[in-house]
Amino acid sequence: MLPSISLNISNFHEYSNSILKQNGGTIIFEGPWLTNMKIVFTSNAMNVQHITSTKFENYGKGDDFKEIFEVLGDGIFRSDSHKWKYNRTLLHSVFKQVSFQTFIHKTFEAKVDSCLLVFLDHACKKGLQVDLQDVLQRLTFDNICSIVLGFDPICLSIDLPEIASEKAFNQLEDILLTRHIKPRFLWKLQKWLQIGDEKKFVENQKIIDHMVDTQIKCIRSRQSEIKSKINMQDKLQQFDLLTTIMNTEVEKKEQPNSIDDKFLRDTAINLLAAGRDTISSSLAWFFWLMATHPFVEAKILEEIKENLPSKESNWKELGKEGLSKLVYLHGALCETLRLYPPIPFEHKCAMKFDVLPSGHKIKSNTMIVYSLYSMGRVEEIWGEDCLEFKPERWISNKGGIIHVPSYKFIAFNAGPRSCLGKDISFTEMKMVVVAILLNYHIQLVEEHPIVPSLSVILHMKHGLKIMVKKRIV
């Protein structure tokens, strides 16, 4: 089966979707002899519910995932069992703090206002072609570094500087996907010989580790303040996520040995990856859909203006409460995530023998991949118009958001591993949309190709080339 995949690698998402559809939503992929490649590939919602919820304890990340995603260390996305539960509980306790939510909101709001809008205004005045995907990646990388590490690398500025750590993230993502496709012995041999993609992998990991380790040392230098807890309330506006985690553990006086530099490093890498790529990918596809569906853009703009305190109001005056009232915008974002989920595939491994609802028998240590990209295109879930972009499908007759079970709308995962940052993600995406749409009109560069990249993140292969026009109120 590997040759057919190789021939369709440039169109892998659509190819895999068509194969799944032809086979009732589940197939068993077998690689060449002696490669030990056997993967159950599914887009069946009942299978996904079974894996993520019903039999959650039987499906972990597994050895294959841990080998492929070694860069994540023992962080929340790579760990299982007790390590995962500890990571999840700790991060949940931080995320639910009102002070931390306020910090995130103000940090992102300031970044959008002082960097994103300034850059777009410059591009508008100069008549520049802009890769909006690159701009959004820079914005979210600056933001997540500020939130997690208390450090702004300033990737997004008028001259668009090349920042080594930001570039390293991009290259690592591409290599991580090739590790799924290449036979394991081949990429491991390349890693041992330090050649090809695996040499690049090590180089890029060193760049990211250096950035994170440097900031951890800065945070450690403040540890005396954390332990003494002197004037901590006065420092609320200066904290970052790693400092907050250490504060939380000091107050609980639990597992003091868990907060070592490796734990902080692994936590930081996981959160940097999550906070940068998911939001920037989602927003890039959203603005492309807006540019190709002007009637949807018009409705969103009308909704935003209706919820502003006055016609002269600044976009920031909506606040968190005003953003929560933008129902049609919320529906449009959900529809974007349905069709273009930032994580196109999820990877699990069976601990013990099991039988899926589809009837497929799963041996222990079998890799299972469920396709989020394909699940957004299943007619049985979304109807015959599943390929159409229709925000209305998310809005009830009473004007509220229709709830779709997470095992069907899988963009934020499902079951115990559901995304902790879901609400934060929606708030940040809405802030960017409101800020841009109120001030500018996005015009696509003609004949620029828009196709998904082959990566662990659903980026656009050639970026999103646009022209920025000042919106006339």
Side-chain angles (χ1 to χ4, degrees), residues 7-23:
L7 289 171
N8 290 278
I9 202 74
S10 62
N11 191 35
F12 183 73
H13 298 293
E14 290 301 330
Y15 171 72
S16 59
N17 183 51
S18 66
I19 293 296
L20 284 167
K21 191 174 182 180
Q22 291 168 21
N23 290 273

Side-chain angles (χ1 to χ4, degrees), residues 123-363:
C124 180
K125 289 176 179 177
K126 297 292 184 180
L128 302 176
Q129 280 191 16
V130 172
D131 180 356
L132 186 58
Q133 178 174 257
D134 177 53
V135 170
L136 292 168
Q137 284 179 300
R138 290 167 177 272
L139 169 73
T140 53
F141 188 67
D142 283 350
N143 178 63
I144 198 63
C145 284
S146 297
I147 289 170
V148 174
L149 301 171
F151 157 72
D152 187 346
I154 315 180
C155 296
L156 181 53
S157 59
I158 288 174
D159 56 343
L160 296 179
E162 183 175 291
I163 304 297
S165 54
E166 198 263 346
K167 184 179 179 182
F169 262 99
N170 291 334
Q171 294 184 354
L172 277 177
E173 288 165 2
D174 296 340
I175 298 169
L176 285 171
L177 189 75
T178 63
R179 284 186 172 188
H180 284 79
I181 299 168
K182 286 180 184 176
R184 189 193 308 174
F185 79 88
L186 181 57
W187 70 259
K188 281 197 165 186
L189 179 62
Q190 288 184 322
K191 181 182 177 183
W192 182 66
L193 294 173
Q194 278 300 284
I195 59 174
D197 284 345
E198 291 303 315
K199 181 180 180 181
K200 293 179 184 176
F201 188 94
V202 172
E203 292 170 349
N204 287 312
Q205 182 171 335
K206 286 180 179 177
I207 292 170
I208 293 171
D209 282 344
H210 176 72
M211 178 193 74
V212 173
D213 290 343
T214 300
Q215 293 312 121
I216 288 175
K217 287 177 183 177
C218 293
I219 292 170
R220 285 294 189 197
S221 70
R222 302 196 299 264
Q223 206 164 18
S224 57
E225 295 178 3
I226 295 168
K227 288 180 180 178
S228 63
K229 295 193 288 188
I230 297 172
N231 295 324
M232 286 306 295
Q233 292 301 314
D234 297 333
K235 298 178 182 294
L236 277 177
Q237 299 306 314
Q238 302 171 20
F239 63 17
D240 51 74
L241 192 139
L242 292 190
T243 301
T244 306
I245 285 174
M246 288 192 283
N247 291 345
T248 302
E249 291 304 279
V250 167
E251 290 168 7
K252 285 164 48 178
K253 295 182 180 178
E254 293 181 6
Q255 301 190 30
N257 295 328
S258 63
I259 308 299
D260 56 16
D261 284 358
K262 183 184 182 306
F263 178 86
L264 292 175
R265 178 263 176 210
D266 293 348
T267 300
I269 295 291
N270 281 251
L271 294 175
L272 289 174
R276 169 191 183 253
D277 294 310
T278 53
I279 292 175
S280 62
S281 169
S282 302
L283 285 170
W285 288 107
F286 174 87
F287 282 109
W288 174 67
L289 288 165
M290 288 304 94
T292 53
H293 296 78
F295 59 96
V296 174
E297 181 186 32
K299 288 190 71 171
I300 292 173
L301 194 58
E302 180 183 1
E303 181 182 56
I304 293 170
K305 290 179 178 178
E306 286 176 355
N307 282 278
L308 286 171
S310 68
K311 289 184 178 181
E312 294 76 28
S313 294
N314 184 286
W315 69 274
K316 292 185 287 186
E317 292 181 35
L318 270 177
K320 289 178 67 175
E321 185 178 346
L323 291 172
S324 67
K325 295 177 182 179
L326 304 178
V327 176
Y328 192 79
L329 172 55
H330 192 94
L333 288 168
C334 288
E335 189 72 340
T336 302
L337 292 165
R338 176 182 74 85
L339 289 168
Y340 299 101
I343 310 293
F345 304 104
E346 279 284 356
H347 181 165
K348 297 285 186 180
C349 180
M351 303 294 111
K352 300 177 182 178
F353 173 83
D354 194 19
V355 180
L356 296 178
S358 61
H360 291 80
K361 296 179 180 179
I362 307 297
K363 295 181 181 179

